Every structure is written in C-alpha cells, then in structure tokens.
Amino acid sequence: MSEKLRLYIHIPFCKSKCAYCDFFSGKADEKAYDEYVMQLKDKIEYWSKRTDKTLSSVYFGGGTPSVLGDNRLCEVLEFIKQKFSVDNNAEITVEVNPESGKSLDFEKLYKCGFNRISVGMQSSDEKELKLLGRIHSTDDVRQTIYNAKNEGISNISLDLMLGIPCQTEQSLKSLIDFCAELGVTHISSYILKIEEGTPFYINRNKYDFADDDKQAEMYLYAVDYLNRLGYKQYEISNFAKSGFESKHNTGYWKLDEYIGIGPSAHSFFEGKRFFYERDMQSFNDNVITVDGTGGDEEEFIMLSLRLAQGLDFDEYKKRFGREIPESLIKTADKYIKAGLMKRNGNRIFFTPKGFLVSNAVISKLI
C-alpha cells in the first residue's frame, strides 16, 4: 500500500446549477456556509485520528468551493494543517468558478497554502457559456487568472468542454488558443455527457447534441492541437505542460490512498472503498457507506490504462507478485493491430483513438 495519502474536500454549494451538472451541489446562504465549515472541521478531526500518514495533496472540489470565500477556505486548510501532517511540497488545489473567483483574495489563499487553482471555464464562447448555464464571462476568466498569477499562484488548470451544441472546430480551436494565451499550465478537456435528471437531459429534444462521431472528431482534434501547443496528454481527459500534471488526480489513477470528506465524497483507505451519501444530514451524522475492497489486479489494470503511460508489466509484478496474464497480452495484441493501443517494451497504452473506446476495450482485457 502506498505511503502517500491524499485528501479531498467536497464543497456542495453553487450560485446556480449548470444544465449538464450531476454533482451533489445546490444554493445556500452565508449561515449554511458557516455551518458546513464546522461540519468539515469535525470530520477532518475524525479522520486525522485514524491515520498518521502525511498528506501529499489536498483538493477542494465541488460544487463551487470559491463561493465560500477566501476566509472560510483558509480556515479549513489551516485546520487540516493542524490535524494532519502535510508534506512541505504538497499540491494544494482549490476549484474556482470565474464569477466568484474574480473577487477572491488570492494573496490570502497563497499565503495560507493554496498553490494551485482549477478554473471551471468550459468555453470561451459567450453563446456556448449561456447554453451551458454558466454565469461567468470570458473577462471573468481573464481577471481570475490574472489575479491568481499576480499573487503567486502560477500553477493553474482550466476546464474545457467538448461536444457542446453549436460548438464547431473553429470555436474549439479558439477555446484552446484562449487557454494557451493565458499561459495556464494544465487543461482538462471533457466530452459533454447528458446525465439523467439534469436540465440537458430533461430538455434533450430541444438541443442539437453532437453525436458519437462528432464528439470523437472534436476529441481527436483537441488532443492533437493541445499537443502541438505543448500540453501533453497524460490521461484520457487531462493535458499539461511538462511537470505540471495534477499530482492529486494522478494519485487516484495510481491507487494512492485518499480520504474524501463531504456529501457524495468517496474514499479509498486501508484497502476499502467507502463514501458519504449524497445527503447533507447523513454527512453531518458521519454515516459512511462501505463500497467493498479496492486495489486488486483488475482495478490496477483499469486505472493504469486511463493514463497515457499505460500499464507497466514490471509495476504489476512488483505490486502483485506475478506476471501479467498471458491472455491479457494476447487480447491487447488485437487492439494494437487495430491502432487502438501501442506496446513499448513491457508497457501497453492507448492511442488517442483508443481512449475513445477505452471502457469497452478494458472490459475485454480484464
């Protein structure tokens, strides 16, 4: 088991709900924010008593963590530092919506320990933003990133979305150019999924959603263009300048242990997977649902193949004490011949085209 421990803090609040969002989040007032901070501190203390491992990364996600404001965010982070041992080089990220982010005190955030922000931009086209239900503008994005950089936070990630209705290759190129011109170090690029229960799902007949072929075309274009701009793909949906890969998220895919705190937050700790329900009262009562064991061979193979570096046979043997099954190698050979995978010595990995069908391929491999 890895000695690294990661901590995820879920902030279940947003000023408005986006048309595609299926995350556990909703509107709340200042009093609810304060009460939630108290509950977070209670659970942070609870979990800190169950391990003496050092945190190698902390990630505040949501929802919209930035709606809490810099004072509350720093209050929670400082409490984490009091209760846990935190590595001096820990990556500490907070997700920021540009609408609330433009008014954050990034100097305060930087001084209390936040050294990375992830900005939920999705698009740089005002019409696409409106369609998605985003409440920020492209100027808000510029201002947020300028403010963060000006106060010392230079490790910045931007989210962008592929397959938005009305999105064209030209608008996607403009979106990627916009990211590059802002000088961000990391880009997460997600294909729009229509989740049941979301406004997009309820009104799905009103929109001209990109079909699978169009989504694939957009994805492959994005992978190629981002690569040409120096953003190397290191995971299905993630691209980074050299040395700026997300340490926290990479930890998930490498089976590092992590504790998730907040309603809907998942954990992998001491060989078990468990989570808090999507319910505030259950979280307040610290009700934890066990989801079984984790970290077995199948999970290792599946998660390794999410990464561009792929599945390392030697690492598999070191972890599980046996060779990669011959049947897996034979099956992989078929996909290598089809151009969906590649092999480099004792390592197999997906091509960009293969990533598009990775779930189906992995199910055949394991």
Side-chain angles (χ1 to χ4, degrees):
M1 192 64 66
S2 171
E3 286 305 305
K4 293 179 179 177
L5 180 63
R6 319 236 174 223
L7 181 63
Y8 173 77
I9 304 293
H10 186 69
I11 310 299
F13 306 121
C14 288
K15 285 191 175 179
S16 67
K17 196 79 169 173
C18 298
Y20 55 86
C21 182
D22 187 41
F23 291 133
F24 180 76
S25 63
K27 293 181 181 179
D29 56 22
E30 297 290 320
K31 184 184 176 199
Y33 296 163
D34 288 335
E35 288 173 352
Y36 188 66
V37 166
M38 286 175 58
Q39 290 294 338
L40 282 176
K41 290 165 80 170
D42 178 65
K43 307 308 179 290
I44 288 163
E45 181 157 22
Y46 171 85
W47 286 109
S48 71
K49 292 175 179 176
R50 280 151 181 78
T51 182
D52 57 3
K53 288 188 175 183
T54 298
L55 297 180
S56 54
S57 65
V58 182
Y59 193 105
F60 286 64
T64 309
S66 50
V67 300
L68 287 187
D70 38 75
N71 287 329
R72 292 189 189 93
L73 290 169
C74 286
E75 181 182 346
V76 175
L77 180 55
E78 283 161 2
F79 192 76
I80 289 168
K81 289 180 174 182
Q82 288 172 26
K83 298 299 175 181
F84 282 92
S85 169
V86 181
D87 191 281
N88 289 334
N89 297 316
E91 176 191 87
I92 303 178
T93 304
V94 59
E95 290 182 350
V96 172
N97 181 287
E99 191 276 333
S100 52
K102 64 185 177 183
S103 57
L104 284 176
D105 186 340
F106 284 103
E107 181 182 16
K108 183 178 290 182
L109 290 174
Y110 181 64
K111 283 181 176 176
C112 82
F114 288 98
N115 51 32
R116 183 176 184 271
I117 64 168
S118 178
V119 182
M121 179 179 70
Q122 313 310 345
S123 176
S124 60
D125 184 289
E126 300 292 348
K127 286 189 293 185
E128 291 175 2
L129 286 172
K130 187 175 181 181
L131 188 66
L132 291 170
R134 304 297 287 173
I135 59 174
H136 68 268
S137 67
T138 50
D139 284 341
D140 292 339
V141 176
R142 284 194 191 92
Q143 190 65 51
T144 296
I145 291 173
Y146 172 81
N147 292 348
K149 284 185 172 184
N150 206 38
E151 299 301 344
I153 302 177
S154 56
N155 191 357
I156 298 172
S157 177
L158 281 176
D159 287 350
L160 58 87
M161 191 163 279
L162 308 175
I164 303 167
C166 305
Q167 189 177 55
T168 64
E169 189 174 289
Q170 184 54 49
S171 71
L172 177 56
K173 179 182 183 299
S174 298
L175 170 56
I176 295 170
D177 285 337
F178 180 79
C179 297
E181 286 160 11
L182 290 172
V184 298
T185 51
H186 186 280
I187 293 171
S188 295
S189 178
Y190 302 104
I191 294 173
L192 175 63
K193 289 184 179 178
I194 311 304
E195 304 285 0
E196 196 168 338
T198 63
F200 266 168
Y201 181 85
I202 294 165
N203 299 299
R204 57 193 179 280
N205 296 326
K206 296 181 181 178
Y207 299 102
D208 182 21
F209 291 113
D211 59 21
D212 290 348
D213 288 343
K214 184 66 175 175
Q215 287 186 345
E217 185 183 309
M218 290 287 197
Y219 176 81
L220 294 173
Y221 175 83
V223 171
D224 177 66
Y225 193 47
L226 283 164
N227 185 67
R228 282 189 276 145
L229 292 175
Y231 295 95
K232 303 298 181 186
Q233 184 176 32
Y234 70 96
E235 191 267 346
I236 293 177
S237 303
N238 287 280
F239 307 78
K241 296 285 189 179
S242 180
F244 289 96
E245 298 82 3
S246 168
K247 293 177 184 176
H248 185 87
N249 289 334
T250 300
Y252 293 153
W253 304 313
K254 292 195 170 183
L255 281 176
D256 289 346
E257 289 189 315
Y258 59 93
I259 292 170
I261 298 178
S264 79
H266 285 244
S267 300
F268 172 49
F269 183 62
E270 295 182 339
K272 294 185 178 69
R273 292 198 176 275
F274 49 91
F275 60 91
Y276 286 104
E277 299 284 353
R278 294 166 63 101
D279 172 70
M280 195 69 80
Q281 191 57 53
S282 294
F283 171 65
N284 292 349
D285 294 339
N286 207 28
V287 176
I288 295 157
T289 302
V290 177
D291 202 21
T293 58
D296 63 12
E297 291 96 324
E298 286 192 359
E299 195 170 58
F300 178 80
I301 291 166
M302 178 184 69
L303 292 174
S304 294
L305 287 170
R306 284 188 63 102
L307 293 164
Q309 66 187 37
L311 174 61
D312 188 309
F313 298 172
D314 297 330
E315 198 176 330
Y316 178 93
K317 185 177 180 181
K318 182 179 176 183
R319 183 179 284 261
F320 300 108
R322 52 183 167 271
E323 303 288 348
I324 280 279
E326 195 62 37
S327 59
L328 183 148
I329 296 172
K330 284 183 179 177
T331 304
D333 282 341
K334 292 191 294 185
Y335 295 111
I336 290 168
K337 287 172 185 171
L340 300 177
M341 300 188 86
K342 287 185 178 180
R343 179 168 180 174
N344 184 358
N346 276 351
R347 198 165 52 84
I348 57 170
F349 51 94
F350 280 112
T351 62
K353 188 178 175 183
F355 270 138
L356 285 162
V357 292
S358 58
N359 288 342
V361 173
I362 290 169
S363 69
K364 301 293 184 184
L365 293 174
I366 59 177

